[in-house]
Amino acid sequence: MELDKDNCIKMNDGNKIPALGFGTYSPDEVQKSKCEEATKVAIEVGFRHIDGAFVYGTEEAVGRAVQQKIADGTVKREEIFYTGKLWSTFHRPELVRTCLEQSLRKLKFDYIDLFIIHNPMSLKPGADVLPVDENGKFIFDVVDLCQTWEAMEACKEAGLVKSIGVSNFNCRQLEMILNKPGLKYKPAVNQVECHPYFNQSKLLAFCKSKDILLEAYCALGSQRDKTWVDQSSPVLLEDPVLGAIAKKYNRSPALVALRYQLQRGIVVLFKTYTKKRIEENFQVFYFHLSEEDMKTIDGLNKNFSYVNLNGFLGHPQYPFKDE
């Protein structure tokens, strides 16, 4: 999966995706308020791939940032690659387009470049994005994801999205889609948690064999959001091995972690609202890790996941990680 001169990778449907993406997940209202300005800075620095989602609650802010950068001549809409995500309360096939159209309205876009199923666990449809019962347990829905995928394909054929994919799918769930009778389009990408402590080597090999791009979130460890992340978990960017390699190249541990994924053929996302870090992370294209250092980073793998999804315990699609 070679990068072209614009640092993009061609997907299995012929469309190109920028290999480095700017994430817009915001765990609280303070972070959400910074999203618009940070997205504008990212575009000014040179980022063209913006990763968002219906459930993030930041699509209006992202849309405003993109529209302002179009208005001032920095970019054209076709130069921006935006990823949106189908949330779990919209898995029923008749609801898929509803979710997409809500995102399009918030963004003020005519189309989304990549639309992916956010995760394979279906939740009860309704106004609550995280519906829970009186005991605080998630209320699941039972949906055939093959039917959800057919509705995704219909959105592509309607011209509302250019590419479609999935997120948090394991090999078994990917096989379910790939083996679906009458499949029109296979997933272009599978976006998953992936970093040196959880390098997803098995899933990466499977995706490569099926010409599906793997895309990494939590590539720098995690933002340590208390909703999903155990606060006692190790801090990836403080790992001494990563630190030593970073020192060798006169780069930050974050840049080394990002570069590691690019050299594995993985599209990589990062999220920071700090201008200095946004500018720094764009430097990932300007150095190369040796084969020896790549193997050393491979050796950090612990199959350790920062994102704790035990709330989905009992769902028919749980667990969705490949051990």
PDB file of all heavy atoms in Angstrom, residues 13 25 52 57 67 89 116 143 166 172 180 216-217 249:
ATOM      1  N   ASP A  13     -11.976   0.559  -3.836  1.00  0.00           N
ATOM      2  CA  ASP A  13     -12.998   1.068  -4.767  1.00  0.00           C
ATOM      3  C   ASP A  13     -12.424   2.102  -5.743  1.00  0.00           C
ATOM      4  O   ASP A  13     -13.159   2.713  -6.522  1.00  0.00           O
ATOM      5  CB  ASP A  13     -14.190   1.665  -4.002  1.00  0.00           C
ATOM      6  CG  ASP A  13     -13.794   2.843  -3.118  1.00  0.00           C
ATOM      7  OD1 ASP A  13     -12.610   3.239  -3.114  1.00  0.00           O
ATOM      8  OD2 ASP A  13     -14.675   3.378  -2.414  1.00  0.00           O
ATOM      9  N   TYR A  25     -13.004  13.523  17.802  1.00  0.00           N
ATOM     10  CA  TYR A  25     -13.716  13.044  18.991  1.00  0.00           C
ATOM     11  C   TYR A  25     -13.398  13.964  20.168  1.00  0.00           C
ATOM     12  O   TYR A  25     -12.233  14.294  20.419  1.00  0.00           O
ATOM     13  CB  TYR A  25     -13.297  11.609  19.329  1.00  0.00           C
ATOM     14  CG  TYR A  25     -13.805  11.155  20.680  1.00  0.00           C
ATOM     15  CD1 TYR A  25     -15.167  10.952  20.890  1.00  0.00           C
ATOM     16  CD2 TYR A  25     -12.932  10.960  21.748  1.00  0.00           C
ATOM     17  CE1 TYR A  25     -15.643  10.558  22.129  1.00  0.00           C
ATOM     18  CE2 TYR A  25     -13.398  10.563  22.994  1.00  0.00           C
ATOM     19  CZ  TYR A  25     -14.752  10.362  23.178  1.00  0.00           C
ATOM     20  OH  TYR A  25     -15.217   9.976  24.415  1.00  0.00           O
ATOM     21  N   GLY A  52     -14.647  12.166  11.646  1.00  0.00           N
ATOM     22  CA  GLY A  52     -15.718  12.561  12.551  1.00  0.00           C
ATOM     23  C   GLY A  52     -16.701  11.428  12.757  1.00  0.00           C
ATOM     24  O   GLY A  52     -16.470  10.296  12.340  1.00  0.00           O
ATOM     25  N   GLY A  57     -20.852  14.497  18.313  1.00  0.00           N
ATOM     26  CA  GLY A  57     -21.470  15.786  18.639  1.00  0.00           C
ATOM     27  C   GLY A  57     -20.650  16.979  18.191  1.00  0.00           C
ATOM     28  O   GLY A  57     -20.828  18.085  18.707  1.00  0.00           O
ATOM     29  N   GLN A  67     -16.242  24.949   6.004  1.00  0.00           N
ATOM     30  CA  GLN A  67     -16.872  25.982   5.169  1.00  0.00           C
ATOM     31  C   GLN A  67     -16.070  27.290   5.210  1.00  0.00           C
ATOM     32  O   GLN A  67     -15.913  27.966   4.189  1.00  0.00           O
ATOM     33  CB  GLN A  67     -18.323  26.244   5.625  1.00  0.00           C
ATOM     34  CG  GLN A  67     -19.250  25.029   5.563  1.00  0.00           C
ATOM     35  CD  GLN A  67     -19.436  24.442   4.176  1.00  0.00           C
ATOM     36  OE1 GLN A  67     -19.130  25.091   3.170  1.00  0.00           O
ATOM     37  NE2 GLN A  67     -19.907  23.206   4.102  1.00  0.00           N
ATOM     38  N   THR A  89     -27.443   3.084  17.054  1.00  0.00           N
ATOM     39  CA  THR A  89     -28.911   3.147  17.170  1.00  0.00           C
ATOM     40  C   THR A  89     -29.579   3.268  15.803  1.00  0.00           C
ATOM     41  O   THR A  89     -30.812   3.336  15.721  1.00  0.00           O
ATOM     42  CB  THR A  89     -29.333   4.339  18.057  1.00  0.00           C
ATOM     43  OG1 THR A  89     -28.701   5.535  17.575  1.00  0.00           O
ATOM     44  CG2 THR A  89     -28.934   4.124  19.511  1.00  0.00           C
ATOM     45  N   ILE A 116     -18.738   4.917   7.527  1.00  0.00           N
ATOM     46  CA  ILE A 116     -18.438   3.594   8.078  1.00  0.00           C
ATOM     47  C   ILE A 116     -19.389   3.232   9.217  1.00  0.00           C
ATOM     48  O   ILE A 116     -19.875   4.111   9.936  1.00  0.00           O
ATOM     49  CB  ILE A 116     -16.964   3.486   8.537  1.00  0.00           C
ATOM     50  CG1 ILE A 116     -16.632   4.490   9.650  1.00  0.00           C
ATOM     51  CG2 ILE A 116     -16.016   3.681   7.365  1.00  0.00           C
ATOM     52  CD1 ILE A 116     -15.169   4.435  10.112  1.00  0.00           C
ATOM     53  N   VAL A 143     -29.965  -6.839  14.946  1.00  0.00           N
ATOM     54  CA  VAL A 143     -30.027  -6.432  13.544  1.00  0.00           C
ATOM     55  C   VAL A 143     -29.067  -7.304  12.735  1.00  0.00           C
ATOM     56  O   VAL A 143     -27.953  -7.584  13.180  1.00  0.00           O
ATOM     57  CB  VAL A 143     -29.631  -4.937  13.377  1.00  0.00           C
ATOM     58  CG1 VAL A 143     -29.702  -4.514  11.920  1.00  0.00           C
ATOM     59  CG2 VAL A 143     -30.520  -4.036  14.229  1.00  0.00           C
ATOM     60  N   VAL A 166     -16.188  -0.069   7.561  1.00  0.00           N
ATOM     61  CA  VAL A 166     -16.622  -0.485   8.894  1.00  0.00           C
ATOM     62  C   VAL A 166     -15.595  -0.027   9.927  1.00  0.00           C
ATOM     63  O   VAL A 166     -14.501   0.433   9.586  1.00  0.00           O
ATOM     64  CB  VAL A 166     -16.813  -2.021   8.966  1.00  0.00           C
ATOM     65  CG1 VAL A 166     -17.926  -2.477   8.031  1.00  0.00           C
ATOM     66  CG2 VAL A 166     -15.509  -2.759   8.643  1.00  0.00           C
ATOM     67  N   ARG A 172     -14.048 -12.341  11.791  1.00  0.00           N
ATOM     68  CA  ARG A 172     -15.309 -13.063  11.606  1.00  0.00           C
ATOM     69  C   ARG A 172     -16.394 -12.135  11.061  1.00  0.00           C
ATOM     70  O   ARG A 172     -17.146 -12.502  10.147  1.00  0.00           O
ATOM     71  CB  ARG A 172     -15.749 -13.672  12.945  1.00  0.00           C
ATOM     72  CG  ARG A 172     -17.111 -14.353  12.926  1.00  0.00           C
ATOM     73  CD  ARG A 172     -17.454 -14.914  14.302  1.00  0.00           C
ATOM     74  NE  ARG A 172     -17.447 -13.903  15.345  1.00  0.00           N
ATOM     75  CZ  ARG A 172     -18.478 -13.090  15.599  1.00  0.00           C
ATOM     76  NH1 ARG A 172     -19.572 -13.135  14.852  1.00  0.00           N
ATOM     77  NH2 ARG A 172     -18.405 -12.216  16.590  1.00  0.00           N
ATOM     78  N   LYS A 180     -21.422 -12.179   2.003  1.00  0.00           N
ATOM     79  CA  LYS A 180     -22.836 -11.905   1.844  1.00  0.00           C
ATOM     80  C   LYS A 180     -23.278 -12.122   0.393  1.00  0.00           C
ATOM     81  O   LYS A 180     -22.656 -11.569  -0.515  1.00  0.00           O
ATOM     82  CB  LYS A 180     -23.122 -10.447   2.252  1.00  0.00           C
ATOM     83  CG  LYS A 180     -24.592 -10.080   2.274  1.00  0.00           C
ATOM     84  CD  LYS A 180     -24.784  -8.600   2.500  1.00  0.00           C
ATOM     85  CE  LYS A 180     -24.696  -7.808   1.220  1.00  0.00           C
ATOM     86  NZ  LYS A 180     -25.747  -8.146   0.241  1.00  0.00           N
ATOM     87  N   ALA A 216      -6.073   3.184  11.892  1.00  0.00           N
ATOM     88  CA  ALA A 216      -5.802   3.132  13.332  1.00  0.00           C
ATOM     89  C   ALA A 216      -6.345   4.345  14.069  1.00  0.00           C
ATOM     90  O   ALA A 216      -6.000   5.479  13.750  1.00  0.00           O
ATOM     91  CB  ALA A 216      -4.290   3.040  13.560  1.00  0.00           C
ATOM     92  N   TYR A 217      -7.191   4.077  15.081  1.00  0.00           N
ATOM     93  CA  TYR A 217      -7.502   5.133  16.061  1.00  0.00           C
ATOM     94  C   TYR A 217      -6.800   4.771  17.367  1.00  0.00           C
ATOM     95  O   TYR A 217      -6.288   3.664  17.522  1.00  0.00           O
ATOM     96  CB  TYR A 217      -9.008   5.342  16.233  1.00  0.00           C
ATOM     97  CG  TYR A 217      -9.796   4.241  16.919  1.00  0.00           C
ATOM     98  CD1 TYR A 217      -9.780   4.089  18.307  1.00  0.00           C
ATOM     99  CD2 TYR A 217     -10.611   3.377  16.189  1.00  0.00           C
ATOM    100  CE1 TYR A 217     -10.512   3.111  18.943  1.00  0.00           C
ATOM    101  CE2 TYR A 217     -11.358   2.384  16.813  1.00  0.00           C
ATOM    102  CZ  TYR A 217     -11.301   2.258  18.202  1.00  0.00           C
ATOM    103  OH  TYR A 217     -12.027   1.273  18.826  1.00  0.00           O
ATOM    104  N   TYR A 249      16.010   9.486  16.474  1.00  0.00           N
ATOM    105  CA  TYR A 249      15.608  10.198  15.249  1.00  0.00           C
ATOM    106  C   TYR A 249      15.369  11.686  15.491  1.00  0.00           C
ATOM    107  O   TYR A 249      14.973  12.411  14.574  1.00  0.00           O
ATOM    108  CB  TYR A 249      14.337   9.567  14.665  1.00  0.00           C
ATOM    109  CG  TYR A 249      14.561   8.186  14.091  1.00  0.00           C
ATOM    110  CD1 TYR A 249      14.414   7.055  14.891  1.00  0.00           C
ATOM    111  CD2 TYR A 249      14.932   8.006  12.763  1.00  0.00           C
ATOM    112  CE1 TYR A 249      14.614   5.780  14.386  1.00  0.00           C
ATOM    113  CE2 TYR A 249      15.143   6.733  12.235  1.00  0.00           C
ATOM    114  CZ  TYR A 249      14.989   5.624  13.059  1.00  0.00           C
ATOM    115  OH  TYR A 249      15.192   4.363  12.544  1.00  0.00           O
TER     116      TYR A 249
END
